[in-house]
Amino acid sequence: MPPRAGLNLQSIVKAATVLADEHGLHEVTLTVLAKKLGIRSPSLYNHVNGLPGLRREMALTGLDQLKNVLMHATVGRSEDKAIREMSRAYLEFTRAHPGLYEATLYLSDTDDEELDTMKNQVLELFTQVLAGFDLNDDALIHAIRGLRSVLHGFSSLERTGGFGLKVDVNQSFELIIDTFLQGLHTSQ
């Protein structure tokens, strides 16, 4: 049976992203997605290699979108300003697309060159922004790990309701980034 007209990989990933952002990545199944698209789930196999293939495509899409958001936030900026804008853009991406962000954390059991390339492109943005701080090789790696941990940890805690106290979350985020930057400046 030929694929349904108008149904393609991009439209499938877009629908899966909406589901993931609204209900969480764990709620995206081929059955639920097919129902949302008004098709039978076997039709999805014309476009994706099952649920793992769908999640892989979502990861690629999410990493590409995250990369573009971070690039846009940092272009023409350096050092503290670049870190602040990158951090804010990262947080806004995770807020706008919590399910798609979760998909970016997809780990393949096999070597996946395309997925690794996309992950490395995002990592390279962190490297470029932090390279402006004139850190030695080891310190640069520590700084990249530290910033990624701050951003992912904050985003994950916020997404799961981990910040229940009645203090402005955005203010907390800015203070954390300030503290991270102070640490960078003292390690130079």
Side-chain angles (χ1 to χ4, degrees):
M1 177 163 60
R4 186 182 108 197
L7 186 67
N8 57 38
L9 182 59
Q10 184 179 0
S11 63
I12 290 168
V13 171
K14 185 176 181 179
T17 297
V18 170
L19 284 172
D21 286 345
E22 289 175 357
H23 306 289
L25 184 63
H26 63 282
E27 293 294 325
V28 178
T29 66
L30 295 183
T31 302
V32 170
L33 179 59
K35 184 175 182 179
K36 180 176 179 60
L37 291 168
I39 61 173
R40 294 179 315 146
S41 56
S43 299
L44 292 171
Y45 286 92
N46 292 320
H47 305 279
V48 294
N49 187 16
L51 188 57
L54 176 63
R55 291 214 172 141
R56 177 189 178 273
E57 293 300 329
M58 291 175 71
L60 289 169
T61 298
L63 287 165
D64 187 51
Q65 287 183 19
L66 179 60
K67 176 190 73 169
N68 290 332
V69 163
L70 298 180
M71 279 179 24
H72 180 72
T74 58
V75 75
R77 295 176 174 94
S78 62
E79 297 182 15
D80 289 21
K81 184 68 173 169
I83 296 291
R84 287 183 203 290
E85 293 303 320
M86 173 183 259
S87 299
R88 291 173 186 142
Y90 190 105
L91 183 61
E92 287 307 313
F93 178 81
T94 65
R95 286 174 173 170
H97 299 290
L100 188 60
Y101 174 71
E102 189 178 349
T104 68
L105 307 174
Y106 174 82
L107 299 174
S108 179
D109 292 338
T110 60
D111 290 331
D112 188 324
E113 193 172 310
E114 188 177 11
L115 197 53
D116 288 343
T117 297
M118 288 301 300
K119 288 177 183 178
N120 288 334
Q121 288 176 0
V122 172
L123 183 60
E124 181 59 27
L125 289 171
F126 281 86
T127 303
Q128 290 172 3
V129 168
L130 287 161
F133 287 89
D134 197 30
L135 304 168
N136 69 41
D137 290 344
D138 287 352
L140 178 61
I141 291 170
H142 295 314
I144 292 167
R145 287 176 179 165
L147 182 57
R148 289 181 65 216
S149 296
V150 165
L151 298 177
H152 173 71
F154 194 94
S155 298
S156 296
L157 284 167
E158 183 178 53
R159 186 175 68 249
T160 59
F163 297 136
L165 300 176
K166 296 186 187 318
V167 175
D168 182 23
V169 174
N170 292 317
Q171 185 178 10
S172 295
F173 183 75
E174 295 295 329
L175 290 170
I176 290 167
I177 299 304
D178 288 346
T179 303
F180 178 82
L181 287 168
Q182 287 172 3
L184 277 180
H185 288 293
T186 59
S187 65
Q188 289 181 308

